[in-house]
Coordinates of all heavy atoms in Angstrom, one line a residue:
M40 N 2.4 -4.7 -14.1 CA 1.0 -5.1 -14.1 C 0.2 -4.2 -13.3 O 0.6 -3.8 -12.2 CB 0.9 -6.5 -13.6 CG -0.5 -7.0 -13.5 SD -0.5 -8.8 -13.1 CE -2.0 -8.7 -12.1
A41 N -1.0 -3.8 -13.8 CA -1.9 -3.0 -13.0 C -3.3 -3.4 -13.3 O -3.7 -3.7 -14.4 CB -1.7 -1.5 -13.3
V42 N -4.1 -3.4 -12.2 CA -5.6 -3.5 -12.4 C -6.2 -2.2 -11.9 O -5.6 -1.4 -11.2 CB -6.1 -4.7 -11.6 CG1 -5.5 -6.0 -12.1 CG2 -5.8 -4.6 -10.1
T43 N -7.4 -2.0 -12.3 CA -8.1 -0.8 -11.9 C -9.2 -1.2 -10.9 O -10.0 -2.1 -11.1 CB -8.8 -0.1 -13.1 OG1 -7.8 0.2 -14.0 CG2 -9.5 1.1 -12.7
I44 N -9.3 -0.5 -9.8 CA -10.3 -0.6 -8.8 C -11.2 0.6 -9.0 O -10.8 1.7 -8.8 CB -9.8 -0.7 -7.4 CG1 -8.7 -1.8 -7.2 CG2 -10.9 -0.9 -6.4 CD1 -8.0 -1.8 -5.9
E45 N -12.5 0.3 -9.3 CA -13.5 1.4 -9.5 C -14.3 1.6 -8.2 O -14.8 0.6 -7.7 CB -14.4 1.1 -10.7 CG -13.6 1.0 -12.0 CD -14.5 0.8 -13.2 OE1 -15.7 0.8 -13.1 OE2 -13.9 0.6 -14.3
I46 N -14.3 2.8 -7.8 CA -14.9 3.1 -6.5 C -16.3 3.8 -6.7 O -16.3 4.8 -7.4 CB -14.0 4.0 -5.7 CG1 -12.7 3.3 -5.5 CG2 -14.6 4.4 -4.3 CD1 -11.5 4.2 -5.2
P47 N -17.4 3.2 -6.1 CA -18.7 3.8 -6.4 C -18.8 5.2 -5.7 O -18.1 5.5 -4.7 CB -19.6 2.8 -5.7 CG -18.8 2.2 -4.7 CD -17.4 2.1 -5.2
T48 N -19.7 6.0 -6.2 CA -19.9 7.4 -5.7 C -20.1 7.4 -4.2 O -19.6 8.2 -3.5 CB -21.1 8.0 -6.4 OG1 -20.8 8.0 -7.8 CG2 -21.3 9.4 -6.0
A49 N -20.9 6.4 -3.7 CA -21.2 6.4 -2.3 C -20.0 6.2 -1.4 O -20.0 6.6 -0.2 CB -22.2 5.2 -2.0
F50 N -18.9 5.7 -1.9 CA -17.7 5.5 -1.2 C -16.6 6.5 -1.4 O -15.6 6.5 -0.7 CB -17.1 4.1 -1.5 CG -17.8 2.9 -0.9 CD1 -17.5 1.6 -1.3 CD2 -18.8 3.1 0.1 CE1 -18.1 0.5 -0.8 CE2 -19.5 2.0 0.6 CZ -19.1 0.7 0.2
R51 N -16.8 7.4 -2.4 CA -15.8 8.4 -2.7 C -15.5 9.4 -1.6 O -14.4 10.0 -1.6 CB -16.1 9.0 -4.0 CG -16.0 8.1 -5.2 CD -16.3 8.7 -6.5 NE -16.5 7.7 -7.5 CZ -17.0 7.9 -8.7 NH1 -17.5 9.1 -9.0 NH2 -17.2 6.9 -9.5
R52 N -16.4 9.5 -0.7 CA -16.1 10.5 0.4 C -15.0 9.9 1.3 O -14.4 10.7 2.0 CB -17.4 10.7 1.2 CG -18.0 9.5 1.9 CD -19.3 9.9 2.5 NE -20.0 8.6 2.8 CZ -20.8 8.5 3.8 NH1 -21.0 9.5 4.6 NH2 -21.4 7.3 4.0
F53 N -14.8 8.6 1.2 CA -13.7 8.0 2.0 C -12.4 7.9 1.2 O -11.3 7.5 1.7 CB -14.1 6.6 2.4 CG -15.4 6.5 3.2 CD1 -16.5 6.0 2.6 CD2 -15.5 7.0 4.4 CE1 -17.7 5.9 3.3 CE2 -16.7 7.0 5.1 CZ -17.8 6.5 4.6
T54 N -12.4 8.3 -0.1 CA -11.2 8.2 -0.9 C -10.8 9.6 -1.5 O -10.2 9.7 -2.5 CB -11.4 7.3 -2.1 OG1 -12.5 7.8 -3.0 CG2 -11.7 5.9 -1.7
D55 N -11.3 10.6 -0.8 CA -11.0 12.0 -1.2 C -11.5 12.3 -2.6 O -10.9 13.1 -3.4 CB -9.5 12.4 -1.1 CG -9.0 12.2 0.3 OD1 -9.7 12.6 1.3 OD2 -7.9 11.7 0.5
G56 N -12.6 11.6 -3.0 CA -13.2 11.9 -4.3 C -12.6 11.1 -5.4 O -13.1 11.2 -6.6
V57 N -11.6 10.2 -5.1 CA -11.0 9.4 -6.2 C -11.9 8.4 -6.7 O -12.5 7.6 -5.9 CB -9.7 8.8 -5.6 CG1 -9.1 7.8 -6.6 CG2 -8.7 9.8 -5.2
P58 N -12.2 8.4 -8.0 CA -13.2 7.4 -8.6 C -12.6 6.1 -8.9 O -13.3 5.1 -9.1 CB -13.7 8.1 -9.9 CG -12.5 9.0 -10.3 CD -11.8 9.4 -9.0
K59 N -11.3 6.0 -9.1 CA -10.6 4.7 -9.4 C -9.2 4.8 -9.1 O -8.6 5.9 -9.1 CB -10.9 4.3 -10.9 CG -10.4 5.3 -11.9 CD -10.6 4.7 -13.3 CE -11.9 5.2 -13.9 NZ -12.1 4.9 -15.3
L60 N -8.6 3.7 -8.9 CA -7.1 3.7 -8.7 C -6.5 2.5 -9.3 O -7.2 1.4 -9.5 CB -6.8 3.8 -7.2 CG -7.2 2.7 -6.3 CD1 -5.9 2.0 -5.8 CD2 -7.9 3.2 -5.1
A61 N -5.2 2.6 -9.6 CA -4.5 1.4 -10.2 C -3.9 0.7 -9.0 O -3.4 1.3 -8.0 CB -3.4 1.9 -11.1
S62 N -3.8 -0.6 -9.1 CA -3.3 -1.5 -8.1 C -2.4 -2.6 -8.7 O -2.8 -3.1 -9.8 CB -4.4 -2.1 -7.3 OG -3.9 -3.1 -6.4
P63 N -1.3 -2.9 -8.1 CA -0.5 -4.0 -8.6 C -0.9 -5.4 -8.1 O -0.3 -6.4 -8.3 CB 0.9 -3.7 -8.0 CG 0.6 -3.0 -6.7 CD -0.7 -2.2 -7.0
A64 N -2.1 -5.5 -7.5 CA -2.6 -6.7 -6.9 C -2.7 -7.8 -8.0 O -3.0 -7.6 -9.1 CB -4.0 -6.5 -6.3
T65 N -2.5 -9.1 -7.5 CA -2.7 -10.2 -8.3 C -3.9 -11.1 -8.0 O -4.2 -12.0 -8.7 CB -1.4 -11.1 -8.3 OG1 -1.2 -11.5 -6.9 CG2 -0.2 -10.3 -8.8
T66 N -4.6 -10.7 -6.9 CA -5.9 -11.4 -6.6 C -6.8 -10.3 -6.1 O -6.4 -9.2 -5.8 CB -5.7 -12.4 -5.4 OG1 -5.4 -11.7 -4.2 CG2 -4.7 -13.5 -5.7
V67 N -8.1 -10.6 -6.1 CA -9.1 -9.7 -5.6 C -8.9 -9.3 -4.2 O -9.0 -8.2 -3.8 CB -10.6 -10.3 -5.8 CG1 -11.6 -9.4 -5.1 CG2 -10.9 -10.4 -7.3
A68 N -8.5 -10.3 -3.4 CA -8.2 -10.0 -1.9 C -7.1 -9.0 -1.8 O -7.2 -8.0 -1.0 CB -7.8 -11.3 -1.2
Q69 N -6.1 -9.1 -2.6 CA -5.0 -8.1 -2.5 C -5.4 -6.8 -3.0 O -5.0 -5.7 -2.5 CB -3.8 -8.6 -3.4 CG -3.0 -9.7 -2.8 CD -1.9 -10.2 -3.8 OE1 -1.8 -9.8 -4.9 NE2 -1.1 -11.2 -3.3
A70 N -6.3 -6.7 -4.0 CA -6.8 -5.4 -4.5 C -7.6 -4.7 -3.4 O -7.5 -3.5 -3.2 CB -7.7 -5.6 -5.7
L71 N -8.5 -5.5 -2.7 CA -9.2 -4.9 -1.6 C -8.3 -4.5 -0.5 O -8.6 -3.4 0.1 CB -10.3 -5.9 -1.1 CG -11.4 -6.3 -2.1 CD1 -12.3 -7.3 -1.5 CD2 -12.1 -5.0 -2.6
D72 N -7.3 -5.3 -0.2 CA -6.4 -4.9 0.9 C -5.6 -3.6 0.5 O -5.4 -2.7 1.3 CB -5.4 -6.0 1.2 CG -6.1 -7.2 1.9 OD1 -7.2 -7.0 2.4 OD2 -5.4 -8.3 1.9
D73 N -5.2 -3.5 -0.8 CA -4.5 -2.3 -1.3 C -5.4 -1.1 -1.1 O -5.0 -0.1 -0.6 CB -4.1 -2.5 -2.7 CG -3.2 -1.4 -3.3 OD1 -2.6 -0.7 -2.5 OD2 -3.2 -1.3 -4.5
L74 N -6.7 -1.2 -1.5 CA -7.6 -0.1 -1.4 C -7.8 0.3 0.0 O -7.7 1.5 0.3 CB -9.0 -0.6 -2.0 CG -10.1 0.4 -1.9 CD1 -9.8 1.7 -2.7 CD2 -11.4 -0.2 -2.3
T75 N -8.0 -0.6 0.9 CA -8.3 -0.2 2.3 C -7.0 0.2 3.1 O -7.1 0.9 4.1 CB -9.0 -1.3 3.1 OG1 -8.2 -2.5 3.0 CG2 -10.4 -1.6 2.5
T76 N -5.9 -0.2 2.6 CA -4.6 0.3 3.1 C -4.4 1.8 2.7 O -4.0 2.6 3.6 CB -3.4 -0.5 2.7 OG1 -3.6 -1.9 3.2 CG2 -2.1 0.0 3.2
R77 N -4.7 2.1 1.5 CA -4.6 3.5 1.0 C -5.6 4.4 1.6 O -5.4 5.6 1.9 CB -4.7 3.5 -0.5 CG -3.5 2.9 -1.2 CD -3.7 3.1 -2.7 NE -3.0 2.2 -3.5 CZ -2.8 2.3 -4.8 NH1 -3.2 3.4 -5.4 NH2 -2.1 1.4 -5.5
Y78 N -6.8 3.8 1.9 CA -7.9 4.6 2.4 C -8.5 3.9 3.6 O -9.6 3.2 3.5 CB -9.0 4.8 1.3 CG -8.4 5.6 0.1 CD1 -8.1 4.9 -1.1 CD2 -8.2 6.9 0.2 CE1 -7.6 5.5 -2.2 CE2 -7.7 7.6 -0.9 CZ -7.4 6.9 -2.1 OH -6.9 7.6 -3.2
P79 N -7.9 4.0 4.8 CA -8.3 3.2 5.9 C -9.8 3.5 6.4 O -10.4 2.6 6.9 CB -7.4 3.6 7.0 CG -6.2 4.2 6.3 CD -6.7 4.7 5.0
A80 N -10.3 4.7 6.1 CA -11.7 5.0 6.5 C -12.7 4.2 5.7 O -13.8 4.0 6.2 CB -11.9 6.5 6.3
L81 N -12.2 3.6 4.6 CA -13.1 2.8 3.8 C -13.2 1.4 4.3 O -14.2 0.7 4.0 CB -12.6 2.8 2.3 CG -13.4 2.2 1.3 CD1 -14.9 2.7 1.2 CD2 -12.8 2.3 -0.1
S82 N -12.2 0.9 5.0 CA -12.1 -0.5 5.4 C -13.4 -1.0 6.1 O -13.8 -2.1 5.8 CB -10.9 -0.8 6.1 OG -11.0 -0.6 7.5
R83 N -14.0 -0.3 7.0 CA -15.2 -0.8 7.7 C -16.4 -0.9 6.8 O -17.4 -1.6 7.1 CB -15.5 0.1 8.9 CG -16.0 1.5 8.6 CD -16.2 2.3 9.9 NE -16.7 3.6 9.6 CZ -18.0 3.9 9.6 NH1 -18.9 3.0 9.9 NH2 -18.4 5.1 9.3
H84 N -16.3 -0.3 5.6 CA -17.4 -0.5 4.6 C -17.2 -1.6 3.6 O -18.1 -2.0 2.9 CB -17.6 0.9 3.8 CG -17.9 2.0 4.7 ND1 -19.2 2.2 5.2 CD2 -17.1 3.0 5.3 CE1 -19.2 3.3 6.0 NE2 -18.0 3.8 6.0
V85 N -15.9 -2.1 3.6 CA -15.6 -3.2 2.7 C -15.6 -4.5 3.4 O -16.1 -5.5 2.9 CB -14.2 -2.9 2.1 CG1 -13.7 -4.1 1.3 CG2 -14.2 -1.7 1.2
R86 N -15.0 -4.6 4.6 CA -14.9 -5.9 5.4 C -15.6 -5.7 6.7 O -15.6 -4.7 7.4 CB -13.5 -6.2 5.6 CG -12.7 -6.5 4.3 CD -11.4 -7.1 4.5 NE -10.6 -7.3 3.3 CZ -10.8 -8.4 2.5 NH1 -11.7 -9.3 2.8 NH2 -10.0 -8.5 1.4
D87 N -16.1 -6.9 7.2 CA -16.8 -6.9 8.5 C -15.7 -7.2 9.6 O -14.5 -7.3 9.3 CB -17.9 -7.9 8.6 CG -17.5 -9.3 8.3 OD1 -16.3 -9.7 8.5 OD2 -18.4 -10.2 8.0
E88 N -16.1 -7.4 10.8 CA -15.2 -7.6 12.0 C -14.4 -8.9 11.8 O -13.4 -9.1 12.4 CB -16.0 -7.6 13.3 CG -16.6 -6.3 13.6 CD -17.9 -6.0 12.8 OE1 -18.6 -6.9 12.3 OE2 -18.2 -4.8 12.7
Q89 N -14.9 -9.9 11.1 CA -14.2 -11.1 10.8 C -13.3 -11.1 9.6 O -12.7 -12.1 9.2 CB -15.2 -12.3 10.7 CG -16.0 -12.7 11.9 CD -17.1 -11.7 12.3 OE1 -17.8 -11.2 11.4 NE2 -17.2 -11.4 13.6
G90 N -13.3 -9.9 9.0 CA -12.4 -9.8 7.8 C -13.0 -10.2 6.5 O -12.4 -10.3 5.5
Q91 N -14.3 -10.5 6.5 CA -15.0 -11.0 5.3 C -15.6 -9.8 4.6 O -15.9 -8.8 5.2 CB -16.2 -11.9 5.7 CG -15.7 -13.2 6.4 CD -14.8 -14.0 5.6 OE1 -15.0 -14.3 4.4 NE2 -13.6 -14.4 6.2
I92 N -15.8 -9.9 3.3 CA -16.4 -8.9 2.5 C -17.8 -8.7 3.1 O -18.6 -9.6 3.3 CB -16.5 -9.2 1.0 CG1 -15.1 -9.3 0.4 CG2 -17.4 -8.2 0.3 CD1 -15.1 -9.8 -1.0
R93 N -18.2 -7.4 3.3 CA -19.5 -7.1 3.9 C -20.6 -7.8 3.1 O -20.6 -7.8 1.8 CB -19.7 -5.6 4.0 CG -18.8 -5.0 5.0 CD -19.6 -4.0 5.8 NE -18.9 -3.6 7.0 CZ -19.1 -4.0 8.2 NH1 -20.1 -4.9 8.5 NH2 -18.4 -3.6 9.2
Q94 N -21.7 -8.2 3.8 CA -22.8 -8.9 3.1 C -23.5 -8.0 2.0 O -23.9 -8.6 1.0 CB -23.8 -9.2 4.2 CG -25.0 -10.0 3.7 CD -26.0 -10.3 4.8 OE1 -25.7 -10.1 6.0 NE2 -27.1 -10.9 4.4
F95 N -23.5 -6.7 2.2 CA -24.2 -5.9 1.3 C -23.3 -5.2 0.3 O -23.7 -4.1 -0.2 CB -25.2 -4.9 2.0 CG -26.2 -5.6 2.8 CD1 -26.2 -5.7 4.2 CD2 -27.2 -6.3 2.1 CE1 -27.2 -6.3 4.9 CE2 -28.2 -7.0 2.8 CZ -28.2 -7.0 4.2
L96 N -22.1 -5.7 0.1 CA -21.2 -5.2 -0.9 C -20.9 -6.3 -1.9 O -20.5 -7.4 -1.6 CB -19.9 -4.8 -0.2 CG -18.8 -4.3 -1.2 CD1 -19.2 -3.0 -1.8 CD2 -17.5 -4.1 -0.4
N97 N -21.2 -6.0 -3.1 CA -21.0 -6.9 -4.2 C -19.7 -6.4 -4.9 O -19.4 -5.3 -5.1 CB -22.1 -6.8 -5.2 CG -23.4 -7.3 -4.6 OD1 -23.5 -8.4 -4.0 ND2 -24.4 -6.5 -4.7
V98 N -18.9 -7.4 -5.2 CA -17.6 -7.2 -5.9 C -17.6 -7.9 -7.2 O -17.9 -9.1 -7.3 CB -16.4 -7.6 -5.0 CG1 -15.1 -7.3 -5.7 CG2 -16.4 -7.0 -3.6
Y99 N -17.3 -7.1 -8.3 CA -17.2 -7.7 -9.6 C -15.8 -7.6 -10.2 O -15.1 -6.7 -10.0 CB -18.2 -6.9 -10.5 CG -19.6 -7.1 -10.1 CD1 -20.2 -6.3 -9.2 CD2 -20.4 -8.1 -10.7 CE1 -21.6 -6.5 -8.8 CE2 -21.7 -8.3 -10.3 CZ -22.3 -7.5 -9.4 OH -23.6 -7.6 -9.0
L100 N -15.5 -8.6 -11.0 CA -14.3 -8.6 -11.7 C -14.7 -8.7 -13.2 O -15.3 -9.6 -13.7 CB -13.5 -9.9 -11.4 CG -12.2 -10.2 -12.3 CD1 -11.3 -9.0 -12.2 CD2 -11.6 -11.4 -11.8
N101 N -14.4 -7.6 -13.9 CA -14.8 -7.4 -15.3 C -16.2 -7.8 -15.5 O -16.6 -8.6 -16.4 CB -13.9 -8.3 -16.2 CG -12.4 -8.0 -16.0 OD1 -12.1 -6.8 -15.9 ND2 -11.6 -9.0 -16.1
E102 N -17.1 -7.2 -14.7 CA -18.5 -7.3 -14.8 C -19.1 -8.7 -14.4 O -20.3 -9.0 -14.6 CB -19.0 -6.9 -16.2 CG -18.7 -5.5 -16.6 CD -19.2 -5.1 -17.9 OE1 -20.0 -5.8 -18.5 OE2 -18.7 -4.1 -18.4
E103 N -18.3 -9.6 -13.8 CA -18.8 -10.8 -13.3 C -18.6 -10.9 -11.7 O -17.6 -10.5 -11.2 CB -18.0 -12.0 -13.9 CG -18.3 -12.2 -15.4 CD -17.9 -13.5 -15.9 OE1 -18.2 -14.6 -15.3 OE2 -17.1 -13.5 -16.8
D104 N -19.7 -11.3 -11.1 CA -19.6 -11.4 -9.6 C -18.6 -12.3 -9.2 O -18.5 -13.5 -9.6 CB -21.0 -11.8 -9.1 CG -21.2 -11.7 -7.7 OD1 -20.3 -11.9 -6.9 OD2 -22.4 -11.3 -7.3
I105 N -17.7 -11.9 -8.2 CA -16.6 -12.8 -7.8 C -17.1 -14.1 -7.1 O -16.4 -15.0 -7.0 CB -15.5 -12.1 -7.0 CG1 -16.1 -11.6 -5.6 CG2 -14.9 -10.9 -7.7 CD1 -15.1 -11.2 -4.6
R106 N -18.3 -14.0 -6.6 CA -18.8 -15.2 -5.9 C -18.9 -16.4 -6.9 O -18.9 -17.6 -6.5 CB -20.2 -15.0 -5.4 CG -20.2 -14.0 -4.2 CD -21.5 -13.7 -3.7 NE -22.2 -12.9 -4.6 CZ -23.4 -12.2 -4.4 NH1 -24.0 -12.4 -3.3 NH2 -23.9 -11.5 -5.3
F107 N -19.0 -16.1 -8.2 CA -19.1 -17.2 -9.2 C -17.8 -17.4 -9.9 O -17.7 -18.3 -10.8 CB -20.1 -16.8 -10.3 CG -21.5 -16.6 -9.7 CD1 -22.0 -15.3 -9.7 CD2 -22.2 -17.6 -9.1 CE1 -23.3 -15.0 -9.1 CE2 -23.5 -17.3 -8.5 CZ -24.0 -16.0 -8.5
L108 N -16.7 -16.8 -9.4 CA -15.4 -16.9 -10.0 C -14.4 -17.4 -9.0 O -13.2 -17.4 -9.3 CB -14.9 -15.5 -10.5 CG -15.8 -14.9 -11.6 CD1 -15.3 -13.5 -11.9 CD2 -15.7 -15.7 -12.9
G109 N -14.8 -17.8 -7.8 CA -13.9 -18.3 -6.8 C -13.7 -17.4 -5.7 O -12.8 -17.6 -4.9
G110 N -14.4 -16.3 -5.6 CA -14.3 -15.4 -4.4 C -13.1 -14.5 -4.5 O -12.6 -14.2 -5.6
E111 N -12.6 -14.2 -3.3 CA -11.5 -13.2 -3.2 C -10.2 -13.8 -3.8 O -9.3 -13.0 -4.1 CB -11.3 -12.8 -1.8 CG -12.3 -12.0 -1.2 CD -11.9 -11.5 0.2 OE1 -10.9 -10.8 0.4 OE2 -12.6 -11.9 1.2
S112 N -10.1 -15.1 -3.9 CA -8.9 -15.7 -4.4 C -8.7 -15.6 -5.9 O -7.7 -16.0 -6.5 CB -8.8 -17.1 -4.0 OG -9.8 -17.9 -4.5
C113 N -9.7 -15.0 -6.6 CA -9.7 -14.8 -8.1 C -8.4 -14.2 -8.5 O -8.0 -13.1 -7.9 CB -10.8 -13.9 -8.6 SG -12.4 -14.6 -8.5
A114 N -7.7 -14.8 -9.5 CA -6.5 -14.2 -10.0 C -6.8 -13.0 -10.9 O -7.8 -13.0 -11.6 CB -5.7 -15.2 -10.8
L115 N -6.0 -12.0 -10.8 CA -6.1 -10.8 -11.6 C -5.0 -10.7 -12.7 O -3.9 -11.2 -12.4 CB -6.1 -9.5 -10.8 CG -7.1 -9.4 -9.7 CD1 -6.9 -8.2 -8.8 CD2 -8.5 -9.4 -10.3
K116 N -5.3 -10.1 -13.8 CA -4.3 -9.9 -14.8 C -4.3 -8.5 -15.2 O -5.2 -7.7 -15.0 CB -4.5 -10.9 -16.0 CG -5.8 -10.7 -16.7 CD -6.0 -11.8 -17.8 CE -7.2 -11.6 -18.6 NZ -8.5 -11.5 -17.8
D117 N -3.2 -8.1 -15.9 CA -3.1 -6.7 -16.3 C -4.3 -6.2 -17.1 O -4.8 -6.9 -18.0 CB -1.8 -6.6 -17.2 CG -1.4 -5.2 -17.5 OD1 -1.6 -4.3 -16.6 OD2 -0.9 -4.9 -18.6
G118 N -4.9 -5.1 -16.7 CA -6.0 -4.5 -17.4 C -7.4 -4.9 -16.8 O -8.4 -4.3 -17.2
D119 N -7.4 -5.8 -15.8 CA -8.7 -6.2 -15.2 C -9.2 -5.0 -14.4 O -8.5 -4.1 -14.0 CB -8.5 -7.4 -14.2 CG -8.4 -8.7 -14.9 OD1 -8.8 -8.8 -16.1 OD2 -8.1 -9.7 -14.3
K120 N -10.6 -5.1 -14.2 CA -11.3 -4.1 -13.5 C -12.0 -4.7 -12.3 O -12.8 -5.7 -12.5 CB -12.3 -3.3 -14.3 CG -11.6 -2.4 -15.4 CD -12.6 -1.6 -16.2 CE -11.8 -0.8 -17.2 NZ -12.7 0.0 -18.0
V121 N -11.8 -4.2 -11.1 CA -12.5 -4.6 -9.9 C -13.5 -3.5 -9.6 O -13.1 -2.4 -9.4 CB -11.5 -4.9 -8.8 CG1 -12.3 -5.3 -7.5 CG2 -10.6 -6.0 -9.1
L122 N -14.8 -3.9 -9.5 CA -15.8 -2.9 -9.2 C -16.5 -3.2 -7.9 O -16.9 -4.3 -7.7 CB -16.8 -2.9 -10.4 CG -18.0 -2.0 -10.3 CD1 -17.6 -0.5 -10.2 CD2 -19.0 -2.2 -11.4
L123 N -16.6 -2.2 -7.1 CA -17.4 -2.4 -5.8 C -18.8 -1.8 -6.0 O -18.9 -0.7 -6.5 CB -16.7 -1.6 -4.7 CG -15.2 -1.9 -4.5 CD1 -14.7 -1.0 -3.3 CD2 -15.0 -3.4 -4.2
V124 N -19.8 -2.6 -5.6 CA -21.2 -2.1 -5.8 C -21.9 -2.4 -4.5 O -22.3 -3.5 -4.2 CB -21.9 -2.9 -6.9 CG1 -23.3 -2.4 -7.1 CG2 -21.1 -2.7 -8.2
P125 N -22.1 -1.3 -3.7 CA -22.9 -1.5 -2.4 C -24.3 -1.6 -2.7 O -24.9 -1.0 -3.6 CB -22.6 -0.2 -1.7 CG -22.2 0.8 -2.7 CD -21.6 0.0 -3.9
S126 N -25.0 -2.5 -2.0 CA -26.4 -2.7 -2.1 C -27.1 -1.5 -1.4 O -26.7 -1.2 -0.2 CB -26.9 -4.0 -1.5 OG -26.3 -5.1 -2.2
I127 N -28.0 -0.8 -2.0 CA -28.6 0.3 -1.4 C -30.1 0.1 -1.4 O -30.7 -0.1 -2.5 CB -28.2 1.6 -2.2 CG1 -26.7 1.9 -2.1 CG2 -29.0 2.8 -1.6 CD1 -26.2 3.0 -2.9
A128 N -30.7 0.1 -0.2 CA -32.1 -0.1 -0.1 C -32.8 1.3 -0.3 O -32.3 2.3 0.0 CB -32.5 -0.7 1.2
G129 N -34.0 1.2 -0.8 CA -34.8 2.4 -0.9 C -36.3 2.0 -1.2 O -36.6 0.8 -1.3
G130 N -37.1 3.0 -1.2 CA -38.4 2.6 -1.5 C -39.4 3.8 -1.6 O -39.2 4.9 -1.4

């Protein structure tokens, strides 16, 4: 079983330019843990000091916000895609 974690351009400097990676995770939480274990420099951009997903980071499972799917405990199945989308302010 493998899911794909898609890494946004803004975070690729922490993943040596890798745009996506396969993970054997069975939940969104495991996928994020797998990602930050492989790329520790990324962890402070994914989780806050309490271990929660950062406020300005949106996480999607197959184009649906995980907040509406049960949060990090969402089950993953083979072929699913987890997408990280940082909120970027501008003006």
Side-chain angles (χ1 to χ4, degrees):
M40 179 173 141
V42 298
T43 301
I44 304 170
E45 296 185 5
I46 302 158
T48 303
F50 287 168
R51 290 182 194 164
R52 62 186 165 149
F53 304 109
T54 63
D55 301 320
V57 173
K59 60 176 92 171
L60 67 112
S62 173
T65 58
T66 66
V67 171
Q69 288 176 354
L71 295 177
D72 290 344
D73 186 21
L74 175 66
T75 57
T76 297
R77 292 186 203 192
Y78 301 103
L81 185 57
S82 85
R83 69 184 181 96
H84 299 282
V85 174
R86 297 191 184 276
D87 63 19
E88 294 76 23
Q89 290 76 38
Q91 301 299 311
I92 294 174
R93 290 222 169 256
Q94 180 179 358
F95 297 109
L96 178 65
N97 298 307
V98 180
Y99 293 87
L100 171 58
N101 299 324
E102 300 181 16
E103 289 194 55
D104 193 321
I105 65 165
R106 291 177 288 191
F107 304 111
L108 299 172
E111 290 185 64
S112 63
C113 293
L115 300 175
K116 61 185 181 310
D117 192 34
D119 278 348
K120 292 183 182 181
V121 176
L122 174 63
L123 306 179
V124 180
S126 298
I127 299 174

